Amino acid sequence: MTRIYQKKELIILFFLCLSFVVIKLALSNYITFFWDAIANLSKPAYFFYNTNFHAIFLPANYVSDPPLLQLYVAFMWKILGRSLATTHIIMTIFPIISMVQLFILCKRLVSNKNFWFIYFMVLLDATFLSQTFLLDNDEVIVAFSLLSINAILSNKRTLLSLYLLGMGLVSIRGMDITLGLFVAYFLIYRRKGKKLYNDFVYALIPFLPVISLFLIYISAKKLLLGYFFISDINPWKEFADFVSFSGLIHNVLALGFAFIDYGRIFIWLLAFVLLWKYGHKKFFTSKLQSIWIIWISILGSMLFITLPIQNPIGERYFILHFLLFSLLIGIIMFENIKDQKAKIASFFIILALLSGNFWLYPEKKAQAWDASLVYIPYFSLRQQVIKYCEKEHIDLNTVGFGFPNTADLKYIDVNEDNRYFSDLDFKRNQYIIFSHFPNWDTQLDSIKHTKLLKTYRSLGLSMSIYKNTYYVNQ
């Protein structure tokens, strides 16, 4: 479908992006580094900043991802000053890119009269929204993935090569998606009756720069440091091991849950209804063929890496899959159901997706805290706990808090505060903080020998400070 950008649509897109920027910057001193981003992005960026970029390789106990994003953040800190607000400012560009690229992708496939219904069905996925306000590499991966997909569909090979560099050199997962996009690109532009070798080389050429640089990087690590990805002393080494058969089943179930979590179950229910009522021929039309090929290819590449490995399945890993699937189902719905009914259905789907930001599971149920905006109250609760400890003259390192709060505060708040909370251990901690984060059994066990001192609550979340009576009685 020919893309015709109407002035009214561009104005709406501009104000959507502007509104996002205003909200994100308003929260720039509130939302700190969170969850895996503390180890994935903040700590490595500090390393490059403090060493003045004298080393290209991170220490052996750091993350194993290619360091392009961490270098970018550290470099911008040198120019603009190191602060939480600065970090949000320099990361804001990536969600904006995603919003614009989703707009372009939808315009390529969706008629004007249905455009905004489908666009919001895609844009308002809870996990996508959650990452746009956080500081992490997944928002970068999504942005460059969407740029790459639009370049593939337009067959803009030079731009595709540039976009792939921004994705494949940011993380190993980005490189995994890159390989999936290569398969998709080859299949989309495979010519019937032509030699397979020629089409393979044609598809490979735009991918050669990122593949070559990635291979050079990991080969240099092996040559100079003795390992390709993760060293034996890396604290995440155990998560890179292969799973047992029962572990594989667990990963499959976890992946299935991730795809229906936070309101996405209604997208899948709609998909099954449409497939049952209209059949596969209406589902897999020639118009949607390229998007289906991309979706299946990147899903296959991701499953090949994630399912056999012990690393827990992260919902944010599959944001791109969520967005493309919502786009596909939205288009199929509007092409097969009368406009009025389709618009009503899309309205309820949008509400369901927004409701995902309020899904709060019981304390004993593990939850992907970085996959919806349900985390918003966490930051104020954490500050209240710190202020309470300061008021009561409690050393933070005597307080058991647990992940993701055992890193130095400077890595979380982007400052010079070297204090830190301890890992949870009720035999060692004088105080215990119990919260919804991260729902580990050790937290539940630790409060059996405690006396409640203070509880803070906000929007269904809570953090409680306990005196450890077990420690006192020893």
Side-chain angles (χ1 to χ4, degrees):
M1 181 179 292
T2 303
R3 288 173 288 171
I4 301 176
Y5 299 116
Q6 298 179 354
K7 183 177 179 180
K8 182 179 179 180
E9 291 175 335
L10 295 176
I11 291 174
I12 294 174
L13 177 64
F14 172 78
F15 278 104
L16 280 174
C17 294
L18 180 62
S19 298
F20 167 77
V21 171
V22 170
I23 296 172
K24 185 171 178 64
L25 296 185
L27 296 172
S28 63
N29 284 314
Y30 175 76
I31 296 180
T32 66
F33 277 100
F34 179 63
W35 218 245
D36 290 341
I38 300 168
N40 289 343
L41 182 53
S42 178
K43 193 174 178 182
Y46 259 85
F47 172 81
F48 290 125
Y49 180 91
N50 290 332
T51 59
N52 289 313
F53 310 100
H54 287 165
I56 190 65
F57 297 112
L58 292 166
N61 60 339
Y62 278 53
V63 293
S64 57
D65 290 323
L68 182 61
L69 180 60
Q70 295 93 332
L71 287 167
Y72 163 73
V73 171
F75 180 73
M76 296 306 293
W77 280 350
K78 288 288 185 180
I79 296 174
L80 302 176
R82 186 176 60 185
S83 70
L84 192 58
T86 296
T87 314
H88 277 282
I89 291 171
I90 64 177
M91 293 292 286
T92 299
I93 182 63
F94 301 109
I96 294 299
I97 289 173
S98 294
M99 294 172 68
V100 173
Q101 291 303 307
L102 284 173
F103 177 88
I104 293 172
L105 183 59
C106 289
K107 286 296 293 182
R108 186 187 298 274
L109 300 165
V110 180
S111 63
N112 290 334
K113 65 178 181 178
N114 302 323
F115 174 80
W116 289 111
F117 291 96
I118 296 178
Y119 181 71
F120 284 114
M121 279 182 62
V122 178
L123 186 71
L124 297 180
D125 178 84
T127 304
F128 173 71
L129 285 181
S130 74
Q131 289 298 305
T132 63
F133 288 101
L134 291 175
L135 301 166
D136 205 348
N137 59 10
D138 285 283
E139 59 182 312
V140 180
I141 294 172
V142 172
F144 281 104
S145 295
L146 292 170
L147 283 165
S148 299
I149 289 171
N150 279 320
I152 287 174
L153 295 176
S154 300
N155 203 19
K156 296 179 178 178
R157 294 162 63 80
T158 302
L159 287 176
L160 176 60
S161 291
L162 292 174
Y163 299 150
L164 292 171
L165 291 173
M167 180 169 58
L169 300 182
V170 162
S171 79
I172 295 174
R173 186 162 61 258
M175 194 63 208
D176 189 11
I177 294 175
T178 297
L179 297 178
L181 288 178
F182 164 70
V183 174
Y185 188 59
F186 169 73
L187 293 174
I188 290 171
Y189 291 100
R190 174 79 176 98
R191 299 168 299 174
K192 293 182 179 179
K194 300 298 181 179
K195 290 185 177 180
L196 183 67
Y197 173 79
N198 292 338
D199 286 344
F200 181 85
V201 172
Y202 175 83
L204 181 62
I205 289 173
F207 290 80
L208 280 178
V210 66
I211 293 174
S212 300
L213 288 174
F214 184 82
L215 290 177
I216 290 171
Y217 174 76
I218 63 171
S219 298
K221 280 185 69 175
K222 177 63 175 177
L223 181 64
L224 298 175
L225 304 180
Y227 58 92
F228 285 113
F229 296 110
I230 299 180
S231 72
D232 291 335
I233 65 170
N234 193 295
W236 295 278
K237 179 69 169 64
E238 62 178 294
F239 295 117
D241 295 334
F242 288 103
V243 296
S244 62
F245 179 75
S246 61
L248 179 63
I249 299 300
H250 177 272
N251 280 354
V252 170
L253 294 176
L255 177 67
F257 183 79
F259 269 77
I260 64 173
D261 199 10
Y262 294 130
R264 287 184 290 271
I265 186 173
F266 297 100
I267 293 283
W268 282 91
L269 290 175
L270 175 61
F272 285 124
V273 169
L274 292 171
L275 183 61
W276 172 75
K277 188 171 183 179
Y278 299 103
H280 70 278
K281 291 184 178 180
K282 295 289 186 179
F283 231 67
F284 303 103
T285 62
S286 58
K287 173 185 174 181
L288 300 178
Q289 183 181 36
S290 295
I291 304 300
W292 276 118
I293 289 174
I294 291 171
W295 189 80
I296 293 171
S297 296
I298 60 175
L299 179 61
S301 66
M302 284 290 292
L303 295 185
F304 182 76
I305 297 297
T306 55
L307 288 184
I309 304 299
Q310 290 186 15
N311 186 57
I313 301 293
E315 294 188 16
R316 70 181 190 278
Y317 301 170
F318 296 91
I319 293 175
L320 187 60
H321 306 78
F322 303 155
L323 299 179
L324 294 181
F325 191 71
S326 294
L327 172 61
L328 287 163
I329 300 307
I331 293 172
I332 294 168
M333 177 179 67
F334 273 96
E335 289 186 343
N336 293 281
I337 300 177
K338 292 182 179 180
D339 278 354
Q340 193 62 30
K341 290 183 178 179
K343 289 176 181 178
I344 293 173
S346 67
F347 176 75
F348 282 105
I349 289 293
I350 290 169
L351 289 181
L353 293 174
L354 287 173
S355 77
N357 294 294
F358 302 94
W359 289 22
L360 185 61
Y361 296 118
E363 290 176 348
K364 292 186 178 182
K365 170 70 176 70
Q367 182 157 352
W369 289 106
D370 57 350
S372 82
L373 294 175
V374 73
Y375 60 67
I376 289 295
Y378 160 84
F379 304 98
S380 62
L381 293 173
R382 174 179 168 273
Q383 284 301 321
Q384 290 180 79
V385 165
I386 293 174
K387 289 179 180 178
Y388 177 87
C389 291
E390 291 172 343
K391 179 182 177 182
E392 299 298 324
H393 305 289
I394 297 173
D395 290 335
L396 298 191
N397 60 6
T398 68
V399 182
F401 204 158
F403 180 86
N405 283 287
T406 53
D408 292 0
L409 297 192
K410 64 182 179 183
Y411 296 130
I412 300 174
D413 300 310
V414 191
N415 55 30
E416 299 300 326
D417 195 338
N418 291 310
R419 294 178 299 167
Y420 61 91
F421 290 101
S422 295
D423 284 315
L424 281 168
D425 184 352
F426 74 91
K427 294 181 179 180
R428 181 170 55 88
N429 303 139
Q430 296 183 44
Y431 300 89
I432 294 289
I433 295 176
F434 175 75
S435 71
H436 291 81
F437 305 86
N439 314 109
W440 288 349
D441 290 339
T442 51
Q443 281 191 313
L444 298 174
D445 293 340
S446 66
I447 62 173
K448 294 177 181 178
H449 303 277
T450 55
K451 176 184 177 181
L452 179 63
L453 299 178
K454 186 73 175 180
T455 296
Y456 297 99
R457 293 185 173 87
S458 178
L459 299 177
L461 299 184
S462 66
M463 285 189 187
S464 298
I465 306 169
Y466 291 85
K467 181 74 173 180
N468 190 350
T469 55
Y470 180 95
Y471 179 91
V472 172
N473 291 331
Q474 296 307 302

